[in-house]
């Protein structure tokens, strides 16, 4: 006689799997967005406070690290907003949480702080739902 072993990863609730994926995507994008925002802040401080790299003939400050940082952060922030909305909708949090998570992408260091809180709360909710449903 052979025993059948049930695999817990395939028998979990689809919501749990989707919520875990959304949480991981949010976590990655929060770190990327926060890092690019810090680089952008360093660029602006060096450029406008310390006048590093000087100015061009028209008096416009030259980029220090590179103009690509502002563009990269802008586009990465859009992807971050998509992951924020995805996680928020899966967790069914209140509207204020969505606004706070969205603001974390434009306030320096806030994305790192909020990511820890959101990640812990999301995992607690997933574990609670996994135990109750699965």
């Amino acid at each position: 006689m052979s025993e059948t072993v049930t695999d817990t990863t395939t028998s979990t609730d689809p919501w749990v799997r989707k919520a875990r994926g959304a949480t991981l995507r949010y976590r990655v994008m929060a770190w990327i967005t926060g890092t690019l925002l810090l680089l952008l802040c360093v660029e602006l401080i060096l450029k406008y406070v310390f006048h590093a790299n000087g100015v061009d003939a028209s008096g416009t400050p030259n980029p220090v690290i590179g103009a690509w940082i502002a563009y990269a952060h802008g586009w990465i922030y859009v992807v971050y907003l998509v992951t924020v909305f995805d996680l928020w909708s899966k967790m069914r949090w209140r509207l204020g949480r969505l606004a706070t998570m969205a603001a974390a992408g434009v306030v320096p260091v806030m994305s790192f702080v909020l990511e820890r809180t959101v990640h812990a709360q999301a995992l607690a909710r997933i574990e609670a739902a996994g135990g109750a449903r699965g």
Side-chain angles (χ1 to χ4, degrees), residues 23-39 41 73 76-77 80-81 83-84 87 97-120:
T23 304
L24 178 64
R25 286 188 296 275
Y26 165 75
R27 191 171 204 192
V28 168
M29 289 310 301
W31 277 91
I32 293 171
T33 303
T35 302
L36 281 175
L37 183 58
L38 286 178
L39 280 174
C41 289
H73 172 69
I76 292 292
Y77 181 68
Y80 170 76
L81 287 178
T83 61
V84 162
L87 180 62
R97 174 65 63 93
L98 175 66
T100 305
M101 290 168 66
V106 293
V107 177
V109 184
M110 186 176 169
S111 67
F112 303 118
V113 174
L114 192 63
E115 180 272 327
R116 288 185 59 90
T117 304
V118 167
H119 183 255

Side-chain angles (χ1 to χ4, degrees), residues 13 53 95:
D13 186 5
N53 217 18
L95 190 60

Side-chain angles (χ1 to χ4, degrees), residues 14 17 24 56 92 125 127:
R17 185 178 47 80
L24 178 64
D56 61 9
R92 297 179 186 242
R125 189 164 187 168
E127 292 301 319

Side-chain angles (χ1 to χ4, degrees), residues 6-77:
T6 57
D7 185 12
T8 57
T9 58
T10 58
S11 64
T12 59
D13 186 5
W15 178 85
V16 171
R17 185 178 47 80
K18 289 177 184 177
R20 283 187 192 278
T23 304
L24 178 64
R25 286 188 296 275
Y26 165 75
R27 191 171 204 192
V28 168
M29 289 310 301
W31 277 91
I32 293 171
T33 303
T35 302
L36 281 175
L37 183 58
L38 286 178
L39 280 174
L40 182 61
C41 289
V42 168
E43 163 78 19
L44 294 176
I45 289 169
L46 289 173
K47 185 176 182 179
Y48 293 111
V49 174
F50 296 109
H51 302 289
N53 217 18
V55 294
D56 61 9
S58 65
T60 306
N62 292 324
V64 179
I65 300 173
W68 62 271
I69 292 175
Y71 298 118
H73 172 69
W75 284 107
I76 292 292
Y77 181 68

